[in-house]
Amino acid sequence: MHLHTADGVRLDLTEQGPADGRPVVLLAGFKAAATSWRFQVPALAGAGYRVLAVDLPGHGATEPMAPGATMRRRARDVGSVLEQLDLRDATLVGGSMGGNTVWAYVDEHGTDRLRSVVIVDQTPKMLNTADWPYGYYGYDESNHDTYFAEGPPPTGHGRSVWLRGMRTVRLLRAMSGGSRTITDPELEILADHAQADWRPVIARCDVPALFVAGAESELWPSGHAAAAARLAPRGTAAVIAKDGHAANIEQPAAFNRGLLEFLAG
């Protein structure tokens, strides 16, 4: 399915599950395609949810990101999906950058169309500061403007991808395809993403919010989930053992159990 925003940007999405099911909208992370939710879509559709996996510009087979890409632009694109399909009582599920795209949407559009949100291994503030030690490993005030100049740098944290067994197999299956080249607009949005602080948005979010962390995340301490949940009026947190940053892919069975339990609550 294709949708177009008011200014002509094409958005791609796939839909599965009953048309009258409660909507669950899946938003992938930086450069990841909607197919990265391949282990969640059948479980959600089988449980009776209307599942929409969205490719925003720069993801999957949709059009490239345009210059000037920002998180707020992504929020408006998500808003176009919810409004054009008239989705209500929806749950937004965002992985990695998709998680903070959820907060950008809430900040821009509020929660009138939402039932709940799920954030998958994404800290709401990537910069490490005295009051927030749950940011991207190695990213602090000393390198605030340069750390992501060429893309996400390796951190040396987490279990080596070559030592994860079937977790690696699932990761390769879900993340196959797509270009590894990072375009200038993608670097722009990465910088915008890295410098944002969504904690105030979380603090005023009036719908249930589930924060999921991988215990072995390569990008940040898993404590970000509990810390973010404490900010939210209706927040809960879960840490998945033996799981990395791609928490929904590496341990899909554990992730799906927790997600379905949260949705049924």
Side-chain angles (χ1 to χ4, degrees):
M1 183 189 305
H2 307 293
L3 299 177
H4 287 84
T5 65
D7 54 355
V9 174
R10 193 190 86 216
L11 309 176
D12 295 349
L13 61 150
T14 59
E15 181 175 347
Q16 292 193 39
D20 60 350
R22 206 168 76 222
V24 177
V25 180
L26 305 174
L27 304 170
F30 182 64
K31 291 189 71 66
T35 51
S36 61
W37 299 103
R38 61 180 292 174
F39 300 115
Q40 282 67 58
V41 171
L44 290 165
Y49 295 99
R50 180 185 179 189
V51 189
L52 300 112
V54 180
D55 274 323
L56 300 176
H59 297 260
T62 194
E63 61 187 69
M65 286 185 190
T70 64
M71 295 297 287
R72 295 199 179 279
R73 171 70 219 214
R74 285 169 65 92
R76 291 193 291 273
D77 290 342
V78 174
S80 292
V81 173
L82 270 64
E83 290 158 15
Q84 290 189 40
L85 298 179
D86 195 25
L87 301 181
R88 300 181 183 277
D89 203 30
T91 296
L92 295 182
V93 182
S96 194
M97 184 188 283
N100 282 350
T101 301
V102 171
W103 297 126
Y105 171 86
V106 171
D107 194 33
E108 194 93 357
H109 297 274
T111 59
D112 288 351
R113 291 182 177 270
L114 303 184
R115 179 188 182 94
S116 56
V117 299
V118 179
I119 311 299
V120 186
D121 206 59
Q122 175 60 60
T123 182
K125 181 171 182 275
M126 292 175 62
L127 185 71
N128 288 287
T129 53
D131 67 337
W132 189 259
Y134 306 108
Y136 196 103
Y137 288 121
Y139 181 45
D140 56 35
E141 292 289 357
S142 69
N143 52 26
H144 181 266
D145 294 323
T146 60
Y147 201 63
F148 296 95
E150 297 180 359
T155 67
H157 288 260
R159 188 173 178 82
S160 169
V161 71
W162 305 116
L163 299 176
R164 301 182 198 178
M166 280 303 299
R167 292 162 56 186
T168 298
V169 173
R170 286 191 287 267
L171 187 62
L172 293 174
R173 286 176 180 170
M175 301 295 285
S176 62
S179 171
R180 295 189 178 184
T181 302
I182 301 178
T183 66
D184 287 343
E186 289 168 347
L187 287 175
E188 288 181 289
I189 200 168
L190 183 61
D192 187 51
H193 171 51
Q195 294 175 20
D197 181 357
W198 301 106
R199 292 178 297 171
V201 183
I202 295 173
R204 64 174 186 269
C205 178
D206 59 357
V207 298
L210 171 63
F211 300 86
V212 181
E216 300 174 1
S217 178
E218 308 93 298
L219 303 190
W220 29 63
S222 61
H224 71 84
R230 288 193 292 270
L231 297 171
R234 303 172 68 184
T236 56
V239 178
I240 302 178
K242 299 181 180 179
D243 204 6
H245 175 58
N248 60 300
I249 298 172
E250 292 191 35
Q251 297 288 3
F255 178 85
N256 291 352
R257 282 195 301 271
L259 176 60
L260 290 170
E261 181 179 341
F262 174 74
L263 292 173

